[in-house]
Amino acid sequence: MREALRLARKGLGRTSPNPAVGAVVSRRGKVIARGYHRRAGSPHAEVEALAKLRGKPHKEDTLYVTLEPCNHHGKTPPCTEAILKRGIRNVVAGMRDPNPMVTGGGCDYLAQNGVKVRLGVLEADCRRLNEFFVKFVTTGRPFVVAKSALTLDGWSATSTGHSEWVSNDLSRQYVHRLRDTVDAVMVGIETILSDDPLLNTRLEKGKGRDPVRIVLDTNLRIPEHARILKQESEAKTVVVAGDHVPEERQERIRDQGATVLLCPRRGERLDLPVLMDKLAVMSITSILVEGGATLLGALIREKLVDKFYVFKAPKILGGSDGTPMASGPGPKKLDEGIVLRDTEVKRFGDDILFIGYPQYGDRGEEQEGEAEP
């Protein structure tokens, strides 16, 4: 199963909105075939592994797969039929398919047809691997990852907005690997106005794929010369504006090749929960939020962040006027704040990365959602 997980990770960022899945076939403890789901619409992991088998079926052959085999027709035929046709009599699945429309169908069908099925091997690892997919199919909303880089005294930029660079080269390269695995990267308009970023993926030998670039821009202030509108990329740029923006201004941005997505406002800000629903309709299952403080603060208050990546660099601004990780009203007491669970710590040179899943405290009355204006 660990080998199947290793294979499945190769598909991260390529299979959306489908899960990343790996499969191996073993005989007497030795792996004799491997496969993984390479991209949406391509053969599933089980089918790819089974296609590599040679000779007649052997009663000791066991298929290990990170996710319950599908039992329904989609862009590809059911994997259960391929398993039965190849004569596999033993299947070990890491986890059931979390999709409420298909849960249990694959394993139950195999068991009804004489296959010995075992479930739950390395289940926590399998669920972590497909946490984007699990959130998307069970809630209908994207999995939101928040990334921030901070000095030791907690600032993401100086009082002038200067932030190049808080973290080191190794940390920034890791962020590009994160971009390579998500469907979209999101920033607020202030980040565009201050940094003019590309928000593409830059990995060695050009291996990375660009995520969809999402800019939250309530009043559609993005300059027509912004680099995010000018780059050549297979991924599109989506500018999210309030539903009050004049059509003429929308057309000017569309003429630059971007998509303008209108979203209702709550007060003077974009309604973030409604926006998440709209992005899900676009089959965006995961979002990496990279800035800025106003946007991240609003997402936190709406409890929309599912995972945090917080880099700490050995630098100190030594003042009280920098830009924080998140801005806006916070809790009045420490026990009302966010506790990260299932934490992981990584080191990149002198930088330290904290990874964790938020356990939101009771902040009392919900704050009004807002994004960068």
Side-chain angles (χ1 to χ4, degrees):
M1 189 61 74
R2 293 194 189 281
E3 175 64 7
L5 282 163
R6 185 191 69 80
L7 292 165
R9 293 187 185 100
K10 293 183 176 184
L12 287 174
R14 276 79 181 156
T15 62
S16 181
N18 298 331
V21 182
V24 301
V25 179
S26 73
R27 180 179 296 171
R28 296 172 180 170
K30 181 181 179 181
V31 173
I32 58 174
R34 296 172 171 84
Y36 70 97
H37 188 35
R38 296 174 182 270
R39 64 189 63 86
S42 69
H44 288 185
E46 303 95 313
V47 173
E48 183 174 282
L50 293 173
K52 296 177 181 178
L53 289 176
R54 298 293 180 264
K56 296 181 179 180
H58 193 285
K59 64 179 181 180
E60 293 187 13
D61 288 355
T62 300
L63 172 69
Y64 290 82
V65 60
T66 55
L67 182 69
E68 175 181 20
C70 67
N71 191 42
H72 59 280
H73 284 271
K75 292 183 179 180
T76 59
C79 290
T80 52
E81 296 295 345
I83 292 169
L84 293 174
K85 184 176 180 180
R86 187 59 181 81
I88 298 292
R89 311 310 296 168
N90 303 285
V91 171
V92 180
M95 61 176 285
R96 285 194 182 275
D97 191 324
N99 190 332
M101 302 298 293
V102 300
T103 297
C107 288
D108 292 347
Y109 182 77
L110 291 173
Q112 292 165 8
N113 283 272
V115 177
K116 183 180 179 181
V117 178
R118 182 182 175 189
L119 270 166
V121 175
L122 297 183
E123 182 173 1
D125 296 297
C126 292
R127 293 187 68 85
R128 183 69 55 85
L129 169 76
N130 276 308
E131 58 192 3
F132 300 166
F133 175 74
V134 172
K135 166 78 181 292
F136 185 73
V137 298
T138 57
T139 71
R141 283 184 175 174
F143 188 100
V144 178
V145 179
K147 187 268 323 181
S148 189
L150 306 172
T151 62
L152 284 180
D153 49 350
W155 303 114
S156 63
T158 66
S159 59
T160 64
H162 187 261
S163 60
E164 294 184 353
W165 296 102
V166 173
S167 56
N168 62 29
D169 289 342
L170 293 174
S171 295
R172 295 197 299 276
Q173 192 67 11
Y174 183 78
V175 172
H176 282 282
R177 295 206 298 271
L178 288 178
R179 289 180 184 178
D180 185 54
T181 64
V182 296
D183 290 344
V185 59
M186 176 185 286
V187 297
I189 184 58
E190 293 299 339
T191 297
I192 300 297
L193 296 176
S194 62
D195 298 341
D196 196 19
L198 289 170
L199 298 181
N200 57 5
T201 300
R202 300 184 292 278
L203 295 177
E204 292 181 0
K205 301 179 181 179
K207 292 182 178 180
R209 51 165 283 285
D210 292 340
V212 174
R213 296 168 292 275
I214 302 174
V215 181
L216 271 58
D217 185 6
T218 305
N219 297 307
L220 208 54
R221 295 186 291 144
I222 188 169
E224 294 176 30
H225 58 76
R227 294 199 300 167
I228 200 171
L229 300 177
K230 300 297 184 182
Q231 62 180 306
E232 294 184 6
S233 174
E234 293 183 0
K236 61 184 176 181
T237 295
V238 178
V239 183
V240 184
D243 52 12
H244 66 295
V245 174
E247 179 65 28
E248 179 184 354
R249 198 180 307 172
Q250 298 177 40
E251 283 302 318
R252 287 204 300 268
I253 302 305
R254 292 192 183 101
D255 288 344
Q256 302 302 314
T259 298
V260 176
L261 176 64
L262 299 183
C263 181
R265 292 172 296 162
R266 194 191 302 172
E268 296 301 315
R269 310 289 186 175
L270 297 174
D271 191 318
L272 294 178
V274 171
L275 173 59
M276 293 301 162
D277 294 336
K278 286 179 171 288
L279 294 175
V281 172
M282 298 169 62
S283 294
I284 292 177
T285 68
S286 57
I287 302 170
L288 176 63
V289 180
E290 295 201 36
T294 305
L295 172 57
L296 186 51
L299 289 167
I300 289 173
R301 284 188 291 279
E302 289 282 0
K303 301 180 180 179
L304 291 173
V305 178
D306 298 295
K307 191 174 186 178
F308 284 90
Y309 285 77
V310 181
F311 293 88
K312 295 289 283 187
K315 299 174 182 177
I316 297 174
L317 290 188
S320 61
D321 58 350
T323 302
M325 177 178 126
S327 63
K332 302 300 183 184
K333 299 178 181 179
L334 279 176
D335 58 5
E336 295 174 350
I338 298 170
V339 176
L340 296 186
R341 57 180 176 79
D342 297 333
T343 54
E344 183 181 357
V345 178
K346 294 180 180 288
R347 186 155 190 165
F348 299 94
D350 290 337
D351 289 355
I352 297 175
L353 170 62
F354 294 87
I355 307 171
Y357 300 84
Q359 180 177 320
Y360 292 98
D362 183 7
R363 290 167 172 254
E365 188 173 326
E366 288 290 326
Q367 300 288 340
E368 182 174 284
E370 56 186 79
E372 294 200 23

